[in-house]
Amino acid sequence: MSGTEFDRTVDVVVLGLGDAGAVAAVTAHDAGAQVLVLEKQTAERHRPNSRYAAGFFLVPTDVDAACRYLAASYAVSGEDAVVEPELIRTWAVETAANPAWLTAHGGEYSVLDLHGEHDTLPDHGSVTVHRVLPSERAARWPGCPLFGLLRSLVDDRGIEVRFGTAATGLITGPDGGVRGVRVDDGGGRAQRIGARRGVVLAVGGFEGDPGMQRQFLPVPRAWFYGSQDNTGDGIRMAQQVGAELWHMNVWPGHFVARFPGNGYSGGTGIDLWGTGRFGPDPDRAANPGAIFVDGAGQRFLAEPGRQHAAHLELLGMDAQRLTHPRIPTWWIFDERRFDKGPLVPTYSGPAGPVQDYTWSADNVAELERGWIHGAPDPSSLAELCGLDPTALTESVRRYNASCAAGHDEHLGRAASTLVPLDGRRFFAVPLYPGGSHTVGGPRRDARARVLAVGGDPVLNLYSAGELGSIHGLLYPAGGASLAECMAFGRIAGAAAAADRACAS
């Protein structure tokens, strides 16, 4: 296919400007390639998930042990699972190299006392969590300091970014290899952009596509607070050129709140993890109490559960009654938690789908909107929530008895978090399965190549980031996605720049 059949031709086309796309673009550029980045969002409303992450990134301290830990996360009960040793080792080696890469590119970080989230799996301590530190350079773009740094690296190199330009399909040659991209510039004008060396898909997942969620996720609906512009474009483009999909039925979930109407863009979620829900303060007396109950008003897990796996507790269906009894789950607390501060995390700005709602500092506005239910006692609160008053009252009584005894005989909750619910007023918020992003997409190998059905690579096509992530059933630890974005962004960018198969 000659270059005259394209409106424009460059060496490498990167689709998407989040962390993965930025790293791929920088790496390809530094390898000598002419790079063009195409971003679906306009410059004015450019809000990839990367921009609003917390800035944590996972770092293996022992590559062999980290490989065992990640492999164990795919199958937790001895069942068969697809484990690719070369890919897993590449993940461990390259994520372990992220701190050095970050330092070499002007970034700084601190080491946190956090490890693999799933401490019942082998070698969970072999991964640590670091946090990128804010810098003057990164501050040009508010939000996650890692994204700010990566964005500055793209701009400092003069890498061309075309905002408001959505890719609509991949262009292939006679051998099936990818030769370019069809795009819509936002004004209804279609163009054909040629890629002499390769195309990198870094366009995110499908958290903004309810139809794709219903097709693939094992729940009637998940509610995501990530970018609603992530509508599965990369998945569909990859499928059109024969790519195999994987990890479509899993995601790193949370319990999230959703508030349809009332001035809020319903249909997406608000993250309610952290912010003192279950007592981060060393002084136990200062901790607020809280429990989760299902539709029957019963506790069902040792609160708060595992951050990125507790949502799995919500997926079970009652086949007799044909209901999902834990959707919604009710978060029950008293005025100590209500008065402690915002119910949402505030470390990366406002709440909602990519931070489009500013939560009040005292939770009063949300109480007045009806997003939070309040009542003088558990029985009255239950009536507001449609729960059995006797059941909820008994659940609170039994929980308080466990607090007095210092031991949760019912569910084994950590004694350090057993703070009674004995305030003058009680509150409830309905929670749903959801999270920040999906991980399913085209399957990739250790060279970040997109694989076709049958296992052969789709020539000249690469992927990085949450689109076809390496993560399977269990998300290994906070910061795993940012670590993967950097690691496979480098791999994809270097591979695409070195690919001469379609240069003629």
Side-chain angles (χ1 to χ4, degrees), residues 163-239:
F163 289 99
T165 304
T168 59
L170 300 171
I171 300 169
T172 57
D175 61 355
V178 173
R179 297 291 189 263
V181 184
R182 291 188 298 273
V183 303
D184 182 335
D185 67 0
R189 293 179 294 272
Q191 288 189 325
R192 296 163 62 88
I193 307 296
R196 300 186 190 95
R197 304 188 190 180
V199 173
V200 178
L201 295 175
V203 296
F206 58 99
E207 51 268 21
D209 189 317
M212 195 170 280
Q213 291 174 34
R214 286 191 292 269
Q215 181 70 21
F216 292 109
L217 298 183
V219 64
R221 179 71 192 272
W223 305 93
F224 291 90
Y225 54 89
S227 175
Q228 296 306 290
D229 286 321
N230 287 357
T231 53
D233 302 341
I235 295 170
R236 283 183 281 270
M237 285 189 284
Q239 283 183 299

Side-chain angles (χ1 to χ4, degrees), residues 34-264:
Q34 180 191 14
V35 179
L36 174 63
V37 180
L38 304 177
E39 168 56 50
K40 178 181 181 180
Q41 297 178 335
T42 63
E44 294 74 21
R45 58 180 302 274
H46 183 221
R47 296 182 176 187
N49 287 343
S50 300
R51 180 173 170 181
Y52 292 105
F56 301 112
F57 65 104
L58 174 154
V59 180
T61 55
D62 180 321
V63 167
D64 290 336
C67 289
R68 292 191 292 270
Y69 175 62
L70 188 66
S73 74
Y74 288 113
V76 298
S77 301
E79 65 271 23
D80 291 335
V82 177
V83 175
E84 300 183 9
E86 182 184 6
L87 178 61
I88 290 176
R89 178 160 291 275
T90 298
W91 164 84
V93 169
E94 292 298 327
T95 53
N98 280 335
W101 185 90
L102 190 66
T103 300
H105 288 80
E108 296 181 348
Y109 59 88
S110 60
V111 180
L112 305 179
D113 186 23
L114 297 172
H115 300 275
E117 185 171 324
H118 307 288
D119 55 11
T120 59
L121 296 182
D123 300 301
H124 70 279
S126 65
V127 297
T128 59
V129 177
H130 298 180
R131 184 171 188 176
V132 181
L133 300 177
S135 68
E136 182 178 343
R137 186 178 186 184
R140 286 183 255 169
W141 291 272
C144 176
L146 176 60
F147 178 75
L149 171 67
L150 299 177
R151 186 75 170 80
S152 72
L153 296 179
V154 171
D155 278 12
D156 292 347
R157 284 160 172 75
I159 296 172
E160 183 181 356
V161 180
R162 285 179 53 177
F163 289 99
T165 304
T168 59
L170 300 171
I171 300 169
T172 57
D175 61 355
V178 173
R179 297 291 189 263
V181 184
R182 291 188 298 273
V183 303
D184 182 335
D185 67 0
R189 293 179 294 272
Q191 288 189 325
R192 296 163 62 88
I193 307 296
R196 300 186 190 95
R197 304 188 190 180
V199 173
V200 178
L201 295 175
V203 296
F206 58 99
E207 51 268 21
D209 189 317
M212 195 170 280
Q213 291 174 34
R214 286 191 292 269
Q215 181 70 21
F216 292 109
L217 298 183
V219 64
R221 179 71 192 272
W223 305 93
F224 291 90
Y225 54 89
S227 175
Q228 296 306 290
D229 286 321
N230 287 357
T231 53
D233 302 341
I235 295 170
R236 283 183 281 270
M237 285 189 284
Q239 283 183 299
Q240 288 166 4
V241 296
E244 181 179 357
L245 303 182
W246 71 346
H247 300 161
M248 295 296 292
N249 63 334
V250 294
W251 79 98
H254 295 266
F255 290 0
V256 303
R258 53 174 288 265
F259 306 109
N262 297 313
Y264 176 70

Side-chain angles (χ1 to χ4, degrees), residues 305-325:
R306 298 186 187 276
Q307 181 176 2
H308 294 98
H311 70 292
L312 298 174
E313 300 271 3
L314 309 186
L315 305 186
M317 184 174 183
D318 183 330
Q320 181 67 26
R321 296 176 176 84
L322 300 181
T323 63
H324 285 85

Side-chain angles (χ1 to χ4, degrees), residues 432-482:
Y432 299 81
S436 58
H437 65 284
T438 58
V439 298
R443 188 170 178 170
R444 73 170 70 118
D445 68 7
R447 293 170 57 187
R449 297 180 299 183
V450 170
L451 299 179
V453 174
D456 292 330
V458 178
L459 298 178
N460 320 122
L461 184 63
Y462 305 87
S463 76
E466 73 173 78
L467 178 67
S469 167
I470 191 174
H471 303 134
L473 175 63
L474 298 178
Y475 192 68
S481 288
L482 296 193

